[in-house]
Amino acid sequence: MWSKVFTRIINHKYILIACLVIVAYLFPYYSLGEDAHIRVHDNMDSNIVWYKLLAESGHIFTLKDVALPNVINGLPRSTLPSGLDAMVWLYVLFKPMTAYAIGQTLMRFVAFFGMYLLLKRNFLPGPKATFISVGASLGFALLPFWPSGMLSIAGLPLALHIFLTIRNNGKATPIYYWITLLLIPFFSSFILTFVFFLGLMELVWIVDWVRNKHSNWTFFTAIAAMTAIYLAKNYLLIFSMFFESGFTSHRDELNLGHKDLPGTFELFQHNLINGHTHDLAIHYLIIFPVIGLALIVAAYRRLQPKWLLFLFLFNVFLSLWYAFWYWEGWRVVKDHVMIANTFNFSRIHFLDPPVWYICFAIALTILWKHFKSFKPVVVVLLILQCWMVFQLNEETKYSATSNPTFKQFYATDLFADIKDYIGKDPSDYRVVNIGLYPAITQYNGFYTLDTYNNSYPVSYKHKFRKVFASELDKNKTLKNYYDTWGGRAYLYVDEIGKHYMFTKNSNKIIKDLDINTKALKDLGGDYILSAVPIENYQENNLNYKQSFEKKGYPWKIYLYQVE
């Protein structure tokens, strides 16, 4: 018995080592808990709170687009994640940080095994390629994926492997492949990546049909079934968009994309080399040169690395498409076709991380096969790439930049003191924040007039703007930021700009605040929670109450009451 176990371990030693590395990567989430450092941008400042609010709302499932009173006097339910989203249920079943850790664990292991299966069974078959397949898959699994995306990017290799298997095997495909395919939608986003992925699968089906003169209906069924699951999952959003227009979204007023041609090509170059903050592949230092070297070797040896060349050019196209989506020439289309303005078609570039790692594995295999003396270099390159992405784990990255931990960021004890001081039920008053993420006060049970959401009523955007219109007139950058996008409906102040995280060690003082207190009061605003003192608060009809700070937390909150 033990000899069989030992033999299996030896046969799968690379996979076992990779799994241990992933466990080490995930260890801080479980060992530190709420004392762990995690990403703030598009994470603690938004998504985590959305899941928490929804889990506590009592409206996880609803047939009508009800309003949640905690945010902007009534945030439409359809603007938050679907009740069929697995991440929502993690926040229902567990505390937020525990749910976050479980989500990270699922994301990393699915990314690893999905990429490994894709490479071994579709691109690099044979036992000699195992080390390269495992190494490239591990590098992919350790990427700094956008946390709330779960399998939106991390699950793409697994989804592609399943679709290619169904395409080749048809009805002979094992049932567990179909089950996995139909489960992926509950752990990923249709709008973010899979709408583009499924569109490409449909294109593959059409090309096969034209080439082979007959249709692969099993493959088509897989595409249609996954699409149907996504549509069912997002039933509330679809219903509110097409059947019951309960509100007009602020996205209808988006006015993005005014880059000239030099700016567009600069964005193309930046994205091709560095990627986007939500889909970083960390490919510029090792993967990019390795691909270039492999193409040179292939040309010298008169090889035809069709997949390597095709996939590389595919990623070049994705970066080009992303950049040109923000070219001023597209404004003609965006100004006349609503969906072109409200839906971000440039997000197709989120498909590029798995493509880079497939290219990396193919390129290393070319070098491995055609240069025997290069084999130790291939091993070193894989280890260096994995080490480089391992160093980007959230604990290492964000502790080095002195970001607050999860516990410090939300500072529940500190904000409990503020609620106790006010002495009323939070539902009986409304607050707005200055120099402080509204997500922090939302997490702590306050009802806020400011927010960060992907969509909310444009009518509220206009009403809220009246509160700080004078501040926007002082600052063209802030004015353009709010008027052309407005996803962050924050109370902007010229003197602090787009800075939302002032700690108690800051010496910043707002000296010339100019807000419309009457407009704020009309919205129900009762209190301002500011992370910095306001020198001329009396000129704005504000009554300074008290400052709050607590040992172990980075904030000092100044409480002002609206007179």
Side-chain angles (χ1 to χ4, degrees):
M1 175 185 172
W2 289 109
S3 62
K4 290 182 178 179
V5 172
F6 182 75
T7 302
R8 288 184 178 181
I9 291 175
I10 293 299
N11 291 340
H12 298 92
K13 57 183 180 294
Y14 297 136
I15 293 177
L16 180 60
I17 292 170
C19 288
L20 291 175
V21 172
I22 295 173
V23 169
Y25 185 96
L26 295 167
F27 184 70
Y29 297 120
Y30 294 95
S31 62
L32 298 175
E34 291 190 352
D35 291 320
H37 293 81
I38 66 173
R39 175 181 175 137
V40 172
H41 176 63
D42 283 350
N43 193 34
M44 283 201 290
D45 70 345
S46 49
N47 294 78
I48 287 177
V49 177
W50 299 348
Y51 290 122
K52 183 176 183 291
L53 287 177
L54 186 55
E56 296 171 350
S57 69
H59 295 291
I60 295 178
F61 291 112
T62 177
L63 295 178
K64 290 188 176 182
D65 196 6
V66 298
L68 305 183
N70 312 62
V71 181
I72 63 171
N73 289 326
L75 181 69
R77 166 65 187 85
S78 60
T79 64
L80 294 177
S82 165
L84 295 173
D85 191 320
M87 186 69 89
V88 171
W89 287 97
L90 287 179
Y91 280 79
V92 172
L93 298 172
F94 303 99
K95 292 182 178 180
M97 190 59 208
T98 304
Y100 187 85
I102 294 172
Q104 283 282 344
T105 303
L106 180 66
M107 184 163 56
R108 304 296 166 185
F109 279 104
V110 170
F112 172 72
F113 284 106
M115 179 62 80
Y116 176 73
L117 289 171
L118 178 65
L119 291 175
K120 281 295 291 178
R121 299 187 182 179
N122 301 100
F123 290 98
L124 304 176
K128 293 183 178 180
T130 298
F131 179 77
I132 293 176
S133 296
V134 170
S137 301
L138 178 60
F140 176 71
L142 299 180
L143 286 178
F145 298 117
W146 177 52
S148 293
M150 194 110 83
L151 301 187
S152 299
I153 296 176
L156 288 172
L158 179 61
L160 180 57
H161 167 64
I162 293 173
F163 272 111
L164 292 178
T165 302
I166 293 173
R167 175 177 177 240
N168 294 329
N169 297 350
K171 295 179 180 179
T173 304
I175 187 65
Y176 56 84
Y177 271 70
W178 286 94
I179 294 172
T180 305
L181 183 73
L182 299 182
L183 283 176
I184 289 175
F186 299 104
F187 296 85
S188 57
S189 170
F190 182 58
I191 294 174
L192 191 70
T193 56
F194 272 86
V195 63
F196 305 110
F197 175 81
L198 289 168
L200 289 174
M201 292 300 100
E202 182 67 22
L203 182 62
V204 170
W205 179 78
I206 292 173
V207 170
D208 285 348
W209 191 4
V210 173
R211 279 183 175 179
N212 302 328
K213 307 301 181 183
H214 70 84
S215 56
N216 186 339
W217 288 114
T218 307
F219 184 44
F220 179 83
T221 300
I223 299 169
M226 194 180 210
T227 304
I229 295 291
Y230 274 117
L231 294 178
K233 174 189 171 185
N234 295 286
Y235 72 95
L236 188 58
L237 178 62
I238 294 169
F239 184 80
S240 64
M241 286 176 61
F242 297 105
F243 299 102
E244 185 183 85
S245 54
F247 73 98
T248 301
S249 172
H250 86 282
R251 299 185 68 85
D252 283 12
E253 287 190 345
L254 293 186
N255 190 13
L256 304 174
H258 294 276
K259 287 187 176 294
D260 57 14
L261 276 176
T264 300
F265 282 109
E266 184 179 339
L267 181 61
F268 158 68
Q269 181 182 1
H270 180 273
N271 190 76
L272 181 64
I273 296 173
N274 300 299
H276 184 274
T277 181
H278 289 328
D279 68 356
L280 294 174
I282 320 299
H283 59 284
Y284 57 89
L285 194 60
I286 294 177
I287 296 178
F288 221 80
V290 166
I291 293 172
L293 180 60
L295 289 173
I296 293 172
V297 169
Y300 178 75
R301 291 296 180 94
R302 296 184 180 180
L303 306 174
Q304 293 183 336
K306 294 180 181 179
W307 275 117
L308 179 60
L309 185 60
F310 171 76
L311 291 174
F312 175 73
L313 292 177
F314 177 72
N315 265 6
V316 172
F317 168 76
L318 292 185
S319 289
L320 192 64
W321 172 258
Y322 165 70
F324 267 87
W325 187 249
Y326 295 97
W327 174 51
E328 59 190 358
W330 267 105
R331 285 304 329 166
V332 178
V333 176
K334 292 179 180 179
D335 290 340
H336 294 87
V337 180
M338 185 181 70
I339 193 171
N341 191 53
T342 58
F343 186 78
N344 190 351
F345 284 92
S346 75
R347 284 178 176 163
I348 192 173
H349 71 84
F350 285 175
L351 302 181
D352 69 30
V355 177
W356 284 124
Y357 281 82
I358 295 171
C359 289
F360 185 41
I362 296 173
L364 288 176
T365 303
I366 291 173
L367 299 177
W368 182 282
K369 286 182 177 180
H370 296 278
F371 285 100
K372 293 182 179 180
S373 60
F374 208 80
K375 290 183 178 181
V377 179
V378 170
V379 173
V380 171
L381 288 173
L382 276 171
I383 293 174
L384 285 176
Q385 181 65 26
C386 291
W387 175 248
M388 188 163 58
V389 292
F390 187 93
Q391 292 300 303
L392 294 177
N393 72 80
E394 291 185 292
E395 181 60 34
T396 301
K397 180 179 180 179
Y398 295 115
S399 62
T401 55
S402 300
N403 273 23
T405 64
F406 183 98
K407 183 178 181 179
Q408 290 171 335
F409 185 81
Y410 290 119
T412 53
D413 293 341
L414 173 62
F415 285 91
D417 288 347
I418 299 175
K419 283 195 289 187
D420 290 342
Y421 176 85
I422 294 174
K424 295 183 288 185
D425 190 292
S427 63
D428 292 334
Y429 59 91
R430 300 292 183 268
V431 305
V432 68
N433 304 270
I434 292 178
L436 184 74
Y437 288 107
I440 297 175
T441 46
Q442 290 170 0
Y443 184 95
N444 284 286
F446 288 92
Y447 285 51
T448 71
L449 295 175
D450 46 354
T451 193
Y452 174 19
N453 283 97
N454 291 323
S455 179
Y456 63 91
V458 70
S459 58
Y460 186 83
K461 178 185 175 183
H462 297 159
K463 292 176 184 177
F464 189 60
R465 189 187 191 280
K466 294 177 182 178
V467 176
F468 52 96
S470 297
E471 291 292 327
L472 293 181
D473 290 337
K474 298 177 188 178
N475 191 312
K476 290 183 179 180
T477 300
L478 289 178
K479 187 174 184 178
N480 182 70
Y481 186 64
Y482 187 78
D483 291 344
T484 63
W485 180 52
R488 293 184 187 271
Y490 293 177
L491 200 163
Y492 290 105
V493 177
D494 169 49
E495 292 178 63
I496 62 175
K498 293 191 290 182
H499 187 49
Y500 323 117
M501 206 161 68
F502 289 91
T503 68
K504 59 187 175 185
N505 297 321
S506 170
N507 295 319
K508 184 67 181 178
I509 299 174
I510 297 175
K511 297 181 178 180
D512 186 27
L513 181 68
D514 186 8
I515 61 172
N516 187 334
T517 314
K518 182 181 182 302
L520 179 57
K521 197 67 177 177
D522 289 342
L523 287 175
D526 297 296
Y527 295 95
I528 291 178
L529 279 68
S530 179
V532 293
I534 302 171
E535 191 172 88
N536 67 329
Y537 66 88
Q538 291 177 325
E539 296 175 18
N540 289 274
N541 296 318
L542 301 176
N543 182 19
Y544 172 64
K545 305 301 290 184
Q546 186 175 316
S547 65
F548 298 83
E549 60 181 313
K550 210 173 187 72
K551 186 178 180 181
Y553 297 109
W555 320 121
K556 183 175 183 178
I557 307 300
Y558 298 84
L559 179 65
Y560 298 89
Q561 187 171 16
V562 181
E563 293 182 351

